[in-house]
Amino acid sequence: MPKPLSIVFVKAAFVLACGTLLSGCLNLIDPLGPVGKGPQPAPPRSAPPLADKFAWGISTASYQYENPDVKPGEKECFFTDWDIFITQKKAPPKGNALYSWTQFEKDLAAIKKIGLTHYRFSIEWARVEPQPGVYNEAAVRRYVEMARRLKEAGIEPVICLWHFTFPDWLTDKKNPGNSNWLHPLARARWNTYVDKMVRATSPYTKFYAPQNEPNGQITTAYIVAQWPPGMTLAFGHYWKAIDASTGMFRDAAARIKAIKPTAKVLSVEALPWWERAPLDPGGLIYNTMLHGNTDHLDRIYDVCDILGINYYYSQAPGPISLFSGPSRRGHNFTMMGWRIDPGGLYKEIKRVGNRYGKPMMITENGIATPDDDKRVWYMQNHIAAIGRAIRDGYDVRGYFAWSLADNYEWHYGYKALFGLSRMDPKTYGRVFKPSAEKFAAIIRANRTMKSVSAIPPQANFR
Ligand code: BGC
């Protein structure tokens, strides 16, 4: 007797659904087109100069640290696209952050005490150019002063010219798709801004990072709507933003070298380690994530002296990890649900080293946790993974912890605790957690790449 048609349909639909879900390994669906192959043939890798000094730093960002110190109505008052996001209730309020604008000396005292050789901070474009073409010269001078104070203390400033936030005048409220990278004023104004800030800070600064994680920002802004202008699956805009931002990066690199030929240009990209998840329809999510790790860097690596890896976690991106993500807990996860995986850092260093053949630095690495023993364990194991990569012939020249103090963590507000210290709300001083002392001890004991290559992992955490 022939089977009723409905049963056949249900079975066929079931088989199709399972097939689609399980086809993660088949790698069939990639709405952004095939991921680039990278430079062909791959450039030869530089060998690690083992006797060279290893750079020990901490990374921070203007928006997450600075207080505004200006009031609405004052001509220096400025707003960013993230402030607009906050007023739209798409992100928690920032308040006065860590007062680093008015209390930079507190940061400096802490940095000196830890014994850093490098310190990465960013310039708030909106602060120095609150209106198109109108500069706040006092703010420009303050940033120069920060670089000078660091340099005089024997610490290399690493200046990032854009860390996620754009001046609000690059937001097109009527047509959000034309905002930020894609605003008609963006490129010309960026070039003037970069020129001005590099000329002003170059007497004290050797390292410039034109952009922080443009790859992550563009993916979250145009694919998953978590970042301004908040668009979903806007693949056309994604590519336009990649083109615009890489063009602006290359302009900045050229200007930096023209102003100071001895300067070093750093890329800083968000580079988690991605693994295939079985429940990923046609590899759709995996492929999209892989684009994030390659599309921007492929277009700018050649104008960089050092490739910066921001590494926090690994993930098998699929429906399960994406939806359960923030709620995952346990000793292998951070308080944000990120999977702790120092081995992923080792693999990412190998991938970047083999693909681009350039010297690297870990420009951000850190953990959000209320448990500082866990932070020490996380840090020690990630530094040990770098050591292993150096032993295996990969040229990694520095490590920057994220971050100096608990700070404003974008969508998480002040809930995600990334700091090696916390701010005393009365004195604004940075109060060290044990991890700051531990970091200081690691720095004191390991001055060269050779020494870092021998740092052992710390086996157990409870
Ligand atoms: C960013 C920081 C951020 C950190 C932790 C990096 O993606 O550069 O601004 O606070 O990760 O999420």
Side-chain angles (χ1 to χ4, degrees):
M1 204 172 74
K3 287 185 186 161
L5 214 52
S6 57
I7 296 187
V8 177
F9 271 134
V10 169
K11 277 195 174 169
F14 181 72
V15 170
L16 202 67
C18 291
T20 314
L21 282 173
L22 289 170
S23 60
C25 43
L26 293 180
N27 203 13
L28 295 172
I29 307 177
D30 187 351
L32 290 167
V35 174
K37 286 201 170 66
Q40 296 292 319
R45 262 194 288 128
S46 64
L50 290 177
D52 273 20
K53 284 199 180 132
F54 191 78
W56 290 109
I58 283 183
S59 289
T60 60
S62 48
Y63 197 86
Q64 295 170 272
Y65 274 71
E66 292 175 358
N67 47 320
D69 198 31
V70 276
K71 292 185 187 60
E74 291 177 359
K75 81 175 184 331
E76 293 84 7
C77 186
F78 63 94
F79 291 101
T80 68
D81 58 334
W82 194 266
D83 294 308
I84 300 176
F85 227 44
I86 291 176
T87 54
Q88 293 168 344
K89 305 228 177 315
K90 292 179 184 162
K94 181 187 82 131
N96 268 331
L98 298 188
Y99 293 85
S100 289
W101 187 245
T102 48
Q103 304 281 333
F104 179 68
E105 291 300 315
K106 308 281 186 202
D107 287 338
L108 187 59
I111 298 162
K112 284 190 193 164
K113 221 167 140 195
I114 298 175
L116 300 183
T117 62
H118 292 61
Y119 182 70
R120 175 156 87 92
F121 67 95
S122 70
I123 295 176
E124 192 65 63
W125 182 2
R127 184 193 285 283
V128 299
E129 193 179 0
Q131 300 299 325
V134 178
Y135 280 87
N136 175 349
E137 297 296 340
V140 175
R141 284 195 296 276
R142 180 84 67 99
Y143 282 118
V144 175
E145 187 61 7
M146 283 158 71
R148 187 180 71 79
R149 296 283 291 133
L150 285 161
K151 189 75 179 175
E152 284 175 1
I155 300 154
E156 287 288 352
V158 178
I159 296 189
C160 183
L161 295 160
W162 172 86
H163 193 121
F164 291 157
T165 40
F166 291 89
D168 65 340
W169 44 265
L170 289 176
T171 293
D172 183 334
K173 287 193 177 129
K174 286 202 190 104
N175 185 354
N178 277 354
S179 299
N180 300 343
W181 303 114
L182 302 179
H183 194 282
L185 286 180
R187 192 153 181 176
R189 294 265 40 105
W190 164 259
N191 284 340
T192 312
Y193 157 74
V194 169
D195 198 272
K196 187 173 174 82
M197 294 317 298
V198 175
R199 270 180 211 288
T201 53
S202 60
Y204 312 108
T205 310
K206 184 170 159 198
F207 294 90
Y208 287 97
Q211 300 165 353
N212 174 74
E213 298 192 355
N215 62 326
Q217 183 267 346
I218 290 170
T219 308
T220 46
Y222 298 105
I223 308 292
V224 290
Q226 280 181 356
W227 221 265
M231 300 171 77
T232 313
L233 304 182
F235 299 116
H237 283 82
Y238 171 90
W239 281 118
K240 280 195 220 155
I242 289 285
D243 284 346
S245 63
T246 53
M248 286 159 72
F249 188 105
R250 299 183 75 89
D251 286 355
R255 259 151 224 271
I256 292 164
K257 291 286 187 181
I259 294 167
K260 183 161 179 162
T262 52
K264 301 280 179 207
V265 173
L266 263 91
S267 59
V268 176
E269 308 267 332
L271 299 175
W273 177 255
W274 302 114
E275 283 159 10
R276 289 268 164 82
L279 293 179
D280 175 9
L284 166 70
I285 308 176
Y286 175 78
N287 282 331
T288 307
M289 297 303 170
L290 220 54
H291 274 279
N293 281 34
T294 49
D295 294 339
H296 194 276
L297 192 50
D298 274 3
R299 287 163 177 75
I300 52 125
Y301 78 92
D302 57 315
V303 294
C304 298
D305 298 289
I306 298 169
L307 305 185
I309 298 177
N310 285 3
Y311 176 88
Y312 288 87
Y313 61 87
S314 69
Q315 202 188 118
I320 295 178
S321 71
L322 289 185
F323 293 118
S324 67
S327 58
R328 288 179 300 185
R329 293 288 173 270
H331 88 279
N332 273 330
F333 295 96
T334 77
M335 69 190 289
M336 291 155 88
W338 294 358
R339 183 166 82 185
I340 300 171
D341 181 10
L345 173 58
Y346 173 78
K347 288 185 246 180
E348 192 57 29
I349 292 171
K350 280 179 71 173
R351 192 187 71 83
V352 173
N354 292 337
R355 188 173 175 100
Y356 304 107
K358 294 239 169 172
M360 295 166 271
M361 279 188 185
I362 307 310
T363 36
E364 279 181 36
N365 173 247
I367 173 173
T369 178
D371 180 344
D372 207 53
D373 290 342
K374 192 165 180 176
R375 191 183 326 280
V376 167
W377 170 76
Y378 177 99
M379 187 194 296
Q380 171 94 21
N381 282 299
H382 284 79
I383 294 173
I386 297 169
R388 181 176 162 214
I390 297 175
R391 280 203 303 284
D392 290 350
Y394 290 88
D395 186 355
V396 190
R397 302 191 180 184
Y399 173 88
F400 288 65
W402 182 271
S403 185
L404 183 60
D406 295 332
N407 61 76
Y408 178 76
E409 175 56 32
W410 309 110
H411 289 289
Y412 292 80
Y414 290 95
K415 285 194 197 129
L417 308 174
F418 275 100
L420 303 186
S421 69
R422 63 177 70 82
M423 181 181 75
D424 177 329
K426 289 211 182 86
T427 65
Y428 305 126
R430 308 327 186 189
V431 182
F432 281 177
K433 302 177 189 175
S435 53
E437 313 284 356
K438 172 72 182 177
F439 194 33
I442 294 178
I443 295 172
R444 274 196 304 276
N446 300 283
R447 293 294 182 183
T448 62
M449 289 171 69
K450 187 166 174 35
S451 168
V452 172
S453 76
I455 294 179
Q458 180 184 323
N460 295 319
F461 181 72
R462 283 198 268 278

